[in-house]
């Protein structure tokens, strides 16, 4: 166990305060920032605090020592802006590695005089955001890509590790996609170096609504990063301790790792300064600690060694928060969380944002009408979809490009961005492209043992690095499983590989035992519904914690064009599959009718087909179908409510 892991079990750890304000006190000039190394640098460097690690290491070390003297257990390296992305503002991006390495060495030197103090390598959010457009007129635009962030964070992590930091701290996270890129890079870096050190994450809530800048709630933020085996998660900066309180409380309830909080010294005044005194701040911190919210506390903007001293005194009085044991639930997230609770009947995954599953969507995407294609997603949300399946697998499309463009636009549509995304493609590079566009915890649809175990493991590990859950199809080297035995044995084999060799939580595994069309006229197809339902029952028992899903509309492909019969088949099939343990399904959201509402004569015919009750079942249903051609329910978004007066509109919106 690393020293800090032992220390955090014994006491509440104190993290240091602001670096920037301490540097300001030295009233440094341009030439201090330049030193000798940058004497002839083409840009002004004043204000590039991180460059002081190279040009005035003496000052940075003094500041660290002041915080250590005040009682800080953890000091942060002076590297908040030391990625090549942020350093570009000063034309010093070529020095990023050197800054990080030097910063770590300075901090380590400072802790050298103490036992049991730790250096956290600070990794800021960068000055760019991967989830938001820098241009209001072009919501699909992004100022930085996932790959660029991974590249920059990898270099920073490597410099910090080479300089000897004890932990890495990804902090002031305002966009979870940036944070996920940092986690991705850190994981790559650990793999390259064959080491692992603790990782801390600290997000920031920038407005009173309790969301990150990129729009996530605190619980969605946690769900989106919980894959990374974190030492701690917490919040820093922003609005100060008072406003942070409810969000730290939430995190401390839902996160099964250490909790950190290092707020600003209150809200900034008109001059942008922070003036909460050490005494006042101590009271807030005492409240955090005595309420059992935190394991690590400290200060951000406006806090000084006096503030840290006051906090260290309070920290000594209390025991650290015990880490809670959480229920093993499947959790997904868009801007908001989706937690699969026991009392939840079924999760609807909207199927229509699929170029092979909707003629309308396909036409809109292929003609480049992406904004209109978004309305297909909104219709699914309105129809009750809780996850959106997005598929761009069409020969005439550049699927990677289409996936990226559509997801970027979708993410700027608040009503749709609330939902987790199911990234659906048979091409793994399209899936990876999709994963790079979403900040939440997505579901990959799908992987399988089709091309053997080695490729399966390779893909599973990449998905895990992005923090997504995964749909596994019952498909192996021999082909798609259609019998109960093959469905069950393939899923069990995949379950064992994922949980034992890829470190997957069972809750992140969703099996799809293949829903195939019945009543096609081919006799072998007649057992397909029964086989799915029976396999579901057995897989749920054999693979505890995992979920079962399937493409429900496949079952009725033989009745294309006859929505009345199709909808009856879908709901009757779901009624029985859910009882057998099916947890979620890809459906035409809004078009799944209630089992009890299916006309009894139709229901009898449908169930004869689904349960393969007689040789005449297919013919009887086909016969019925020919008499009720057309029909089916219409899903229309009625926008009349928008013409009402304001109170009625609000009422409608609230009820919705
Ligand atoms: N398992 C998993 N993923 C899947 C499937 C699955 N993804 C795709 C598919 N199967 C599920 N999605 C759909 C989407 C639409 C239809 C069927 C399955 C569908 N569409 C109408 C049709 O083809 O008749 C479209 C009509 C129209 O264009 O309006 O039926 O099994 N993991």
């Amino acid at each position: 166990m690393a020293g800090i892991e032992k220390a955090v079990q014994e006491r509440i750890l104190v993290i240091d305060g602001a670096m920037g304000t301490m540097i300001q006190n030295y009233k440094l000039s341009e030439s201090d920032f330049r030193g000798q190394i940058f004497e002839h640098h083409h840009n002004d460097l004043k204000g590039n605090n991180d460059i002081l690690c190279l040009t005035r290491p003496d000052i940075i070390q003094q500041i660290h020592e002041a915080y250590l003297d005040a009682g800080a257990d953890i000091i942060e390296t002076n590297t908040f802006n030391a990625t090549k992305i942020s350093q570009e503002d000063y034309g010093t991006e070529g020095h990023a590695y050197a800054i990080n390495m030097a910063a770590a060495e300075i901090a380590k030197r400072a802790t050298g005089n103490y036992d049991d103090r730790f250096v956290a390598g600070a990794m800021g959010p960068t000055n760019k955001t991967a989830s938001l457009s820098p241009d209001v007129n072009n919501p699909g635009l992004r100022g930085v890509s996932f790959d660029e962030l991974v590249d920059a964070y990898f270099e920073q992590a490597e410099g910090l590790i080479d300089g000897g930091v004890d932990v890495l701290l990804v902090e002031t996270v305002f966009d979870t996609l940036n944070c996920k890129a940092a986690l991705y890079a850190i994981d790559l870096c650990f793999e390259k170096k064959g080491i692992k050190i603790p990782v801390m994450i600290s997000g920031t809530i920038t407005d009173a609504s309790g969301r990150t800048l990129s729009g996530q709630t605190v619980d969605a933020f946690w769900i989106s990063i919980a894959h990374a085996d974190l030492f701690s998660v917490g919040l820093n900066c922003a609005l100060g301790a008072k406003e942070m309180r409810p969000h730290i409380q939430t995190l401390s309830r839902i996160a099964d790792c250490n909790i950190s909080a290092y707020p600003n010294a209150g809200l900034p005044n008109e001059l942008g300064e922070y003036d909460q005194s050490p005494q006042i701040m101590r009271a807030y911190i005492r409240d955090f600690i005595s309420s059992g919210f935190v394991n690590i506390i400290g200060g951000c903007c406006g806090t000084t060694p006096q503030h840290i001293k006051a906090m260290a005194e309070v920290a000594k009085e209390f025991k650290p928060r015990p880490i809670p044991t959480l229920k093993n639930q499947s959790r997904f997230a868009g801007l908001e969380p989706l937690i699969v609770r026991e009392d939840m009947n079924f999760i609807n995954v909207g199927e229509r944002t699929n170029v092979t599953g909707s003629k309308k969507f396909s036409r809109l995407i292929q003609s480049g009408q992406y904004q209109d294609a978004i309305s297909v997603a909104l219709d699914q949300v309105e129809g009750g979809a809780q996850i959106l399946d997005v598929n761009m697998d069409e020969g005439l499309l550049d699927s990677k490009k289409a996936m990226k463009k559509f997801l970027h636009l979708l993410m700027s549509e608040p009503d749709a961005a609330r939902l987790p995304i199911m990234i659906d493609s048979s091409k793994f590079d399209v899936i990876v492209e999709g994963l790079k566009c979403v900040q939440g915890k997505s579901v990959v649809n799908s992987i399988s043992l089709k091309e053997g175990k080695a490729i399966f493991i390779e893909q599973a590990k990449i998905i895990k690095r992005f923090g997504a859950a995964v749909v596994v199809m019952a498909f192996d080297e021999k082909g798609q499983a259609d019998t109960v035995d093959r469905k069950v044995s393939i899923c069990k084999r995949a379950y064992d590989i994922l949980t034992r060799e890829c470190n997957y939580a069972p809750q992140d595994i969703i099996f799809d035992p293949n829903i195939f069309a019945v009543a096609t006229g081919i006799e072998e197809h007649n057992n397909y519904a029964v086989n799915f339902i029976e396999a579901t029952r057995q897989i749920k028992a054999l693979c505890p914690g995992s979920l079962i899903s399937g493409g429900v509309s496949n079952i009725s492909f033989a009745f294309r064009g006859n929505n009345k019969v199709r909808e009856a088949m879908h709901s009757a099939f779901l009624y029985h599959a859910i009882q057998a343990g099916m947890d979620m399904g890809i459906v035409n959201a809004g078009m799944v009718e209630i089992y009890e509402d299916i006309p009894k004569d139709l229901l009898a015919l449908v169930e004869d087909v689904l349960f393969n009750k007689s040789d005449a079942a297919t013919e009887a249903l086909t016969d019925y179908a020919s008499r009720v051609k057309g029909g089916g329910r219409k899903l229309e978004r009625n926008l009349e409510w928008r013409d009402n007066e304001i109170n009625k509109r609000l009422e409608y919106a609230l009820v919705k």
Side-chain angles (χ1 to χ4, degrees):
M1 203 190 298
I4 194 168
E5 281 169 334
K6 192 158 163 288
V8 80
Q9 289 175 4
E10 291 161 358
R11 61 187 198 271
I12 291 172
L13 298 181
V14 178
I15 194 162
D16 64 6
M19 175 62 76
T21 34
M22 295 289 279
I23 291 175
Q24 266 172 30
N25 293 341
Y26 285 85
K27 308 251 182 301
L28 300 177
S29 65
E30 177 65 28
S31 67
D32 288 304
F33 280 88
R34 284 178 178 265
Q36 283 183 347
I37 316 172
F38 298 105
E39 204 181 334
H40 304 295
H41 189 68
H42 51 280
N43 279 19
D44 281 355
L45 291 181
K46 197 171 167 190
N48 185 358
N49 285 348
D50 303 33
I51 209 84
L52 295 170
C53 297
L54 299 177
T55 53
R56 291 302 303 268
D58 53 322
I59 289 179
I60 303 306
Q61 187 169 336
Q62 275 174 25
I63 297 172
H64 287 322
E65 282 162 359
Y67 278 119
L68 289 164
D69 288 344
D73 297 288
I74 304 171
I75 54 167
E76 282 192 52
T77 56
N78 179 37
T79 51
F80 186 78
N81 287 309
T83 54
K84 62 173 98 170
I85 293 172
S86 299
Q87 284 297 312
E88 220 174 293
D89 284 354
Y90 295 96
T92 43
E93 63 278 5
H95 301 269
Y97 174 84
I99 297 171
N100 286 287
M101 166 121 166
E105 287 171 345
I106 297 163
K108 281 305 272 186
R109 256 200 314 277
T111 56
N113 303 326
Y114 300 84
D115 308 331
D116 214 17
R117 305 291 181 99
F118 308 98
V119 172
M123 302 171 75
T126 81
N127 53 1
K128 300 219 163 79
T129 153
S131 289
L132 302 171
S133 170
D135 176 0
V136 281
N137 296 315
N138 186 357
L141 190 70
R142 295 295 182 270
V144 69
S145 72
F146 189 87
D147 290 338
E148 286 162 352
L149 285 165
V150 169
D151 178 52
Y153 277 127
F154 184 94
E155 181 188 43
Q156 178 166 47
E158 188 155 46
L160 291 167
I161 292 170
D162 289 348
V165 298
D166 302 296
V167 292
L168 291 170
L169 167 52
V170 182
E171 65 174 348
T172 325
V173 172
F174 56 70
D175 181 340
T176 312
L177 192 51
N178 289 40
C179 179
K180 290 209 303 187
L183 291 170
Y184 190 101
I186 288 169
D187 199 38
L188 282 182
C189 194
F190 287 167
E191 187 178 77
K192 175 181 170 190
K193 294 182 169 299
I195 58 144
K196 205 166 169 348
I197 59 173
V199 177
M200 304 170 64
I201 299 286
S202 181
T204 193
I205 304 285
T206 38
D207 69 90
S209 72
R211 297 202 180 221
T212 62
L213 184 74
S214 57
Q216 268 190 326
T217 62
V218 174
D219 26 4
F221 167 61
W222 161 246
I223 290 168
S224 307
I225 57 169
H227 60 285
D229 191 18
L230 299 171
F231 173 70
S232 69
V233 66
L235 297 171
N236 71 292
C237 205
L239 308 173
K242 186 161 172 247
E243 283 72 14
M244 186 185 281
R245 191 184 195 281
H247 311 306
I248 275 293
Q249 178 171 23
T250 301
L251 262 184
S252 79
R253 210 180 53 236
I254 61 178
D256 53 353
C257 63
N258 295 302
I259 298 291
S260 69
Y262 50 109
N264 290 346
L267 289 164
N269 62 27
E270 307 82 67
L271 301 170
E273 291 158 349
Y274 302 84
D275 32 34
Q276 219 167 54
S277 68
Q279 285 64 39
I280 292 174
M281 223 177 153
R282 183 199 341 235
Y284 284 116
I285 295 301
R286 175 185 290 277
D287 164 52
F288 279 21
I289 297 177
S290 63
S291 305
F293 294 165
V294 290
N295 306 86
I296 303 163
I297 54 127
C300 199
C301 306
T303 60
T304 64
Q306 290 74 45
H307 290 82
I308 298 307
K309 184 162 183 284
M311 293 182 202
E313 285 163 10
V314 187
K316 280 203 186 69
E317 295 174 33
F318 294 87
K319 290 221 173 338
R321 154 189 175 269
I323 311 284
T325 320
L326 302 178
K327 277 200 208 135
N328 290 329
Q329 291 165 317
S330 296
R331 301 181 182 87
F332 314 107
L335 296 183
E336 291 167 23
L338 173 63
I339 299 173
V340 185
R341 298 200 162 82
E342 275 146 36
D343 58 357
M344 246 181 199
N345 186 25
F346 183 72
I347 290 173
N348 289 282
V349 183
E351 71 178 17
R352 291 282 145 160
T353 37
N354 178 342
V355 289
T356 62
S358 157
K359 281 186 223 64
K360 179 180 172 192
F361 187 70
S362 178
R363 176 173 48 77
L364 293 170
I365 293 295
Q366 298 208 50
S367 61
Q369 292 168 271
Y370 278 76
Q371 272 311 341
D372 294 318
I374 295 288
S375 72
V376 175
L378 293 174
D379 286 343
Q380 294 284 284
V381 177
E382 185 121 330
Q386 293 149 291
I387 298 180
L388 288 173
D389 183 83
V390 178
N391 180 312
M392 296 292 180
D393 285 353
E394 149 67 48
L396 296 170
L397 269 179
D398 180 340
S399 305
K400 267 172 79 169
K401 230 167 120 183
M403 182 63 84
K404 177 172 162 181
K405 187 166 179 189
F406 184 70
L407 288 181
H408 278 168
L409 284 169
L410 196 63
M411 291 305 105
S412 40
E413 193 63 53
D415 281 336
R418 275 196 302 119
L419 274 59
I421 304 298
M422 183 176 269
I423 302 168
D424 185 352
S425 179
S426 56
K427 299 183 208 103
F428 195 68
D429 60 333
V430 177
I431 286 175
V432 170
E433 191 72 12
L435 287 169
K436 291 176 181 172
C437 301
V438 285
Q439 65 176 324
K441 176 167 181 170
S442 311
V443 181
V444 163
N445 180 13
S446 59
I447 60 171
S448 77
L449 287 155
K450 177 160 71 172
E451 292 156 283
K453 182 176 162 182
I455 289 180
F456 179 73
I457 289 181
E458 185 189 312
Q459 295 179 340
K461 286 190 170 162
I462 293 171
I463 293 166
K464 165 106 183 148
R465 199 165 253 157
F466 280 101
V470 68
V471 174
V472 178
M473 300 297 303
F475 202 140
D476 70 2
E477 297 90 337
K478 293 195 207 102
Q480 254 178 314
D482 52 4
T483 63
V484 175
D485 282 353
R486 287 229 336 121
K487 288 174 198 282
V488 174
S489 65
I490 293 173
C491 291
K492 175 70 166 100
R493 178 178 167 215
Y495 182 84
D496 289 343
I497 295 172
L498 290 175
T499 52
R500 291 178 193 162
E501 297 177 54
C502 307
N503 199 24
Y504 268 65
Q507 292 73 26
D508 285 342
I509 306 170
I510 302 162
F511 289 113
D512 185 330
N514 301 323
I515 299 179
F516 297 132
V518 293
T520 59
I522 298 170
E523 207 185 311
E524 292 85 79
H525 298 180
N526 291 348
N527 265 329
Y528 281 166
V530 187
N531 290 357
F532 179 91
I533 291 171
E534 181 51 30
T536 293
R537 213 186 310 277
Q538 294 186 23
I539 295 164
K540 286 296 278 190
L542 269 179
C543 307
S546 66
L547 302 181
I548 301 280
S549 178
V552 176
S553 304
N554 307 351
I555 198 82
S556 63
F557 271 150
F559 296 91
R560 275 191 153 146
N562 194 322
N563 286 339
K564 189 167 168 59
V565 172
R566 289 192 73 177
E567 285 159 27
M569 289 178 80
H570 300 162
S571 43
F573 176 78
L574 275 178
Y575 179 79
H576 297 289
I578 290 169
Q579 283 179 14
M582 186 176 184
D583 303 278
M584 57 168 75
I586 310 175
V587 297
N588 188 0
M591 301 293 269
V592 182
E593 74 174 319
I594 297 165
Y595 182 75
E596 278 75 22
D597 292 348
I598 306 172
K600 291 293 165 272
D601 55 337
L602 175 56
L603 178 64
L605 295 171
V606 163
E607 290 189 337
D608 282 353
V609 161
L610 293 177
F611 291 104
N612 191 16
K613 282 193 192 146
S614 84
D615 293 342
T618 294
E619 207 183 310
L621 185 59
T622 311
D623 188 49
Y624 180 100
S626 66
R627 283 181 274 120
V628 298
K629 244 188 158 43
R633 283 139 22 99
K634 280 259 173 304
L635 182 71
E636 270 169 13
R637 271 202 296 161
N638 184 347
L639 297 178
E640 270 171 31
W641 64 279
R642 288 191 179 172
D643 300 327
N644 292 342
E645 48 107 10
I646 180 75
N647 283 329
K648 285 282 166 214
R649 287 209 306 278
L650 278 170
E651 181 185 303
Y652 177 90
L654 279 169
V655 169
K656 271 285 167 193

